[in-house]
Amino acid sequence: MSYSLSLRRHGAMSTVFLMTPSLILIFGLLLAPLGYSLAISLFDLHATAPWLGVRFVGLGNFAKALSSPAFGAAVARTLYLSAVGIGLGIPISLGFALILNRPFKLRGLVRGLLIVPWVIPGSVQGLLWSRIFDPHYGALNGILLQLGLIDSYVPWLIDPARALLMVALANLWSTVPMLTLLYLAGLQGIPKELYEAASVDGSTSVGSFWRITFPLLLPVTLITLILKTIDAFSLFDLVYILTGGGPADSTQVTGYYLYQAAFTSLDYGYASALAWIIALATGCLAFFYSKLTRTEEESR
Amino acid sequence: MTREMRMPRRLAGSTVQALLVILVMLFTLGPVLWLIASSVAEPKDLLSRPPRWLSWPPDFSKYRELIAGSGDGARATTLTESTLRSFRYAMGNSLVTSCGVTFLCLALGTLSGYATARSRSNTGKKLIYLMLLVQMLPVVVLLVPLFLILSKLGLLDRLGMVIVLLSAIHLPFVIWILRGYFQGIPMELEEAAVVDGATKLQVIRKVILPLSLPGLFAAGTYTFMQSWNAFMIPLIFTSSDSTRTVTVAISMFVGRHYTDYGLMSAAGVLASLPPMLLAIFFQRYLLAGLTAGAVKG
């Protein structure tokens, strides 16, 4: 009787049995709706005009989405958002990590405090930044005026040309500390001997950064790049609260555009097609991500 | 280099370092500190230009209003009173939701995490990768079909449904974290328990769980925070005061063009408090779990 053997490594049946509750939940509430959504995307449900009935439109919704200038603009805004998140986020958090990686008093406390922005709910972040960017009583105007950088109060979120940048900056605030922690973990994995060897060979600290630190942190950077882009495609709460997609749709990113198509215009078929396009795009990114992390795991 | 020359340079170095660290902290905490400061500020200080950054002594009346209701008869307009009441209700709803999701995810996650950690076949691992892939899809993709299905079944605007939905969304990551911890437990311990006549579920309860408390803390804290912070799901699947969570209640504060900035700020601080306390309390586990999850994938 090989009971202990069967415990050691149980087979597929037992695995599936223990996983049943999770599988029901995940397949019932995630995968099945995903399939249903694919079906809906082929129809025009006419939710606002039910007397017209349900009409099969084939790939019409997809064609409509891909040729829609509004959706194209939303995608462009989303890419802008992730570009700001990456272009500013990576250098800032790498800089922060390098600062915090050196020994100083209260290092543990300071590192611990880095998770504060990440812990604050997205909707509270929306409230916080709406207070900071407030045109009349906001902190940003107050600080800039007191520093003499502006002469009069600026309506940050009311100007369509500036609103998206402000959303991107607000979003940056919560992601930088988390990235800093990732980079700190990465920095700790770099053996000190490498730097010692480099300095013996006459390398300056700038040279060591480019030849040792930066290349060895490249996996973290790549992962960040992908995750930031995926995040940007699903950003919603900050936009919903801070700008509501406005002014003049200037902050209407894909997450918000989709939400409006579904729950404001009630165009369920179109919204499902949009959702699938976004899902496929992020799915490709997620696939690269898992490839990346899996090769990393195997190379350990 | 003489000793006298090195001292001032080292001092200068540590001053620069201190300034840089202060810069990092200002970036990270500045906005939060301002929110806290404005939650205890005199109303007239909040409306002054340029702003008064700190009003002293702190005025905790906004917190009193939010927690106990406005005792001030003159201010107790119906709007304020109902806003305050629905905020308190929302805090309770968020607490129930987050605890429910955490419990469900840990219970199911333990079973699945154990199954895949000890699986001889590749099925479990494949299922996990599939789940993680699904989890990476933006939640928006699920909204339309779920909304249509649940409205047809008459299950909209129920807190229990929100709990189940959020559990499904966060379960894959919980399984992933727990699986990692379970794999680190030597099998000899389980065998000893089996020899003593324990069943598989007893092995999980008596051997695996006590040994993987750090993993449970990490996964639990993560799940609680994620479900407390959830916004889109409760926004769409709840619609009344009795089911609204606090994140949605907060968005209504802003959306109403409410001008009581002190009250808004205090509400924001209160809404951030539970996940913040939890994160501080379980910080060690949380960071270990998250960086492991994020770096290793």
Side-chain angles (χ1 to χ4, degrees):
Chain A
M1 169 70 190
S2 60
Y3 187 78
S4 99
L5 197 73
S6 79
L7 174 92
R8 242 197 136 89
R9 295 238 166 245
H10 49 243
M13 274 313 291
S14 183
T15 307
V16 170
F17 174 71
L18 282 173
M19 289 184 83
T20 305
S22 307
L23 291 176
I24 291 176
L25 203 62
I26 288 168
F27 284 82
L29 289 171
L30 302 183
L31 283 185
L34 221 56
Y36 185 44
S37 146
L38 192 60
I40 299 171
S41 70
L42 304 176
F43 289 90
D44 189 343
L45 297 186
H46 291 298
T48 47
W51 57 89
L52 291 175
V54 174
R55 190 166 58 97
F56 181 76
V57 292
L59 294 176
N61 285 322
F62 288 88
K64 183 174 153 195
L66 292 176
S67 62
S68 153
F71 181 54
V75 171
R77 286 184 206 111
T78 308
L79 292 176
Y80 173 84
L81 213 63
S82 56
V84 173
I86 291 164
L88 289 176
I90 287 182
I92 292 176
S93 39
L94 187 52
F96 281 9
L98 289 171
I99 292 171
L100 299 185
N101 198 38
R102 282 186 284 187
F104 60 91
K105 274 184 203 158
L106 301 176
R107 189 159 83 156
L109 178 71
V110 167
R111 284 183 184 190
L113 286 170
L114 281 179
I115 59 168
V116 166
W118 181 72
V119 173
I120 291 182
S123 60
V124 176
Q125 287 180 32
L127 179 143
L128 172 58
W129 289 99
S130 80
R131 294 276 294 106
I132 289 176
F133 295 150
D134 189 287
H136 305 298
Y137 310 109
L140 185 62
N141 275 327
I143 285 186
L144 292 180
L145 195 74
Q146 281 178 337
L147 291 176
L149 294 174
I150 52 173
D151 302 325
S152 59
Y153 275 18
V154 179
W156 299 106
L157 292 171
I158 293 161
D159 181 354
R162 206 156 22 206
L164 189 61
L165 179 65
M166 302 323 281
V167 171
L169 293 179
N171 192 35
L172 195 68
W173 174 71
S174 69
T175 55
V176 158
M178 215 53 213
L179 281 184
T180 306
L181 284 172
L182 280 184
Y183 274 127
L184 269 173
L187 282 174
Q188 250 128 56
I190 301 177
K192 295 231 170 7
E193 292 77 31
L194 285 178
Y195 294 104
E196 283 158 17
S199 85
V200 167
D201 290 348
S203 169
T204 60
S205 52
V206 177
S208 303
F209 172 80
W210 286 112
R211 254 170 268 137
I212 301 171
T213 316
F214 193 74
L216 285 178
L217 289 179
L218 211 58
V220 182
T221 307
L222 277 176
I223 287 167
T224 306
L225 230 102
I226 295 174
L227 288 184
K228 282 285 96 213
T229 315
I230 296 179
D231 279 355
F233 273 94
S234 52
L235 181 72
F236 177 71
D237 36 12
L238 197 62
V239 174
Y240 180 89
I241 294 173
L242 207 48
T243 63
D249 292 345
S250 63
T251 56
Q252 201 183 49
V253 289
T254 50
Y256 197 79
Y257 180 70
L258 173 55
Y259 168 80
Q260 283 205 313
F263 298 103
T264 309
S265 320
L266 302 183
D267 201 344
Y268 296 126
Y270 180 56
S272 299
L274 285 176
W276 268 96
I277 293 170
I278 295 171
L280 284 179
T282 51
C284 288
L285 288 170
F287 179 73
F288 281 127
Y289 173 80
S290 73
K291 268 266 178 281
L292 210 67
T293 49
R294 231 189 299 184
T295 45
E296 212 196 322
E297 202 176 70
E298 275 155 17
S299 69
R300 267 159 207 253
Chain B
M1 211 190 293
T2 62
R3 201 182 152 76
E4 293 86 76
M5 274 177 75
R6 217 181 304 156
M7 276 309 281
R9 185 178 290 186
R10 201 193 294 160
L11 204 65
S14 68
T15 311
V16 171
Q17 173 69 8
L19 285 175
L20 288 173
V21 171
I22 289 172
L23 184 82
V24 174
M25 282 293 101
L26 265 179
F27 176 96
T28 312
L29 297 182
V32 186
L33 292 178
W34 186 62
L35 189 75
I36 296 172
S38 36
S39 72
V40 292
E42 289 280 328
K44 66 171 186 340
D45 287 341
L46 287 175
L47 300 180
S48 69
R49 285 171 82 158
R52 283 195 60 191
W53 298 105
L54 201 64
S55 67
W56 199 260
D59 169 16
F60 290 102
S61 63
K62 300 298 174 197
Y63 288 99
R64 239 188 332 268
E65 274 181 48
L66 282 166
I67 293 168
S70 63
D72 190 351
R75 280 221 38 202
T77 58
T78 356
L79 176 70
T80 322
E81 201 47 62
S82 78
T83 312
L84 293 175
R85 198 171 42 235
S86 62
F87 179 79
R88 277 195 295 279
Y89 227 106
M91 284 289 278
N93 285 337
S94 280
L95 202 63
V96 170
T97 309
S98 311
C99 289
V101 175
T102 309
F103 176 77
L104 211 58
C105 277
L106 287 185
L108 300 187
T110 301
L111 293 180
S112 298
Y114 177 77
T116 51
R118 292 288 189 255
S119 168
R120 175 168 18 126
S121 71
N122 239 343
T123 326
K125 207 172 176 191
K126 275 184 195 145
L127 281 174
I128 283 207
Y129 276 117
L130 181 67
M131 286 179 182
L132 285 176
L133 213 63
V134 172
Q135 200 188 27
M136 285 214 166
L137 299 176
V139 182
V140 282
V141 178
L142 297 167
L143 293 178
V144 171
L146 283 175
F147 183 80
L148 291 178
I149 295 169
L150 295 182
S151 72
K152 208 160 276 176
L153 295 175
L155 290 173
L156 291 179
D157 204 22
R158 289 184 191 206
L159 214 53
M161 206 57 233
V162 174
I163 294 177
V164 173
L165 284 178
L166 289 174
S167 302
I169 290 168
H170 296 303
L171 188 55
F173 190 65
V174 171
I175 297 177
W176 177 256
I177 296 184
L178 291 181
R179 173 178 169 261
Y181 278 90
F182 295 159
Q183 278 174 332
I185 297 173
M187 278 186 227
E188 287 72 24
L189 289 173
E190 289 174 46
E191 276 157 18
V194 170
V195 169
D196 291 346
T199 64
K200 191 162 270 180
L201 283 178
Q202 280 174 327
V203 167
I204 293 182
R205 215 177 60 220
K206 301 245 168 82
V207 180
I208 297 287
L209 286 185
L211 285 173
S212 43
L213 277 182
L216 291 174
F217 287 152
T221 312
Y222 168 84
T223 314
F224 185 94
M225 282 173 19
Q226 290 293 313
S227 28
W228 183 278
N229 297 359
F231 181 68
M232 215 171 191
I233 295 278
L235 176 76
I236 289 164
F237 294 99
T238 67
S239 51
S240 57
D241 272 358
S242 58
T243 50
R244 196 170 289 131
T245 63
V246 78
T247 46
V248 181
I250 288 283
S251 79
M252 295 176 74
F253 266 89
V254 186
R256 237 174 232 167
H257 297 288
Y258 216 66
T259 46
D260 193 340
Y261 292 128
L263 194 69
M264 260 168 70
S265 308
V269 173
L270 282 181
S272 312
L273 219 49
M276 194 64 78
L277 290 176
L278 206 68
I280 291 169
F281 201 69
F282 289 114
Q283 189 188 54
R284 202 155 50 92
Y285 307 110
L286 187 68
L287 284 182
L290 284 182
T291 40
V295 176
K296 285 181 198 153

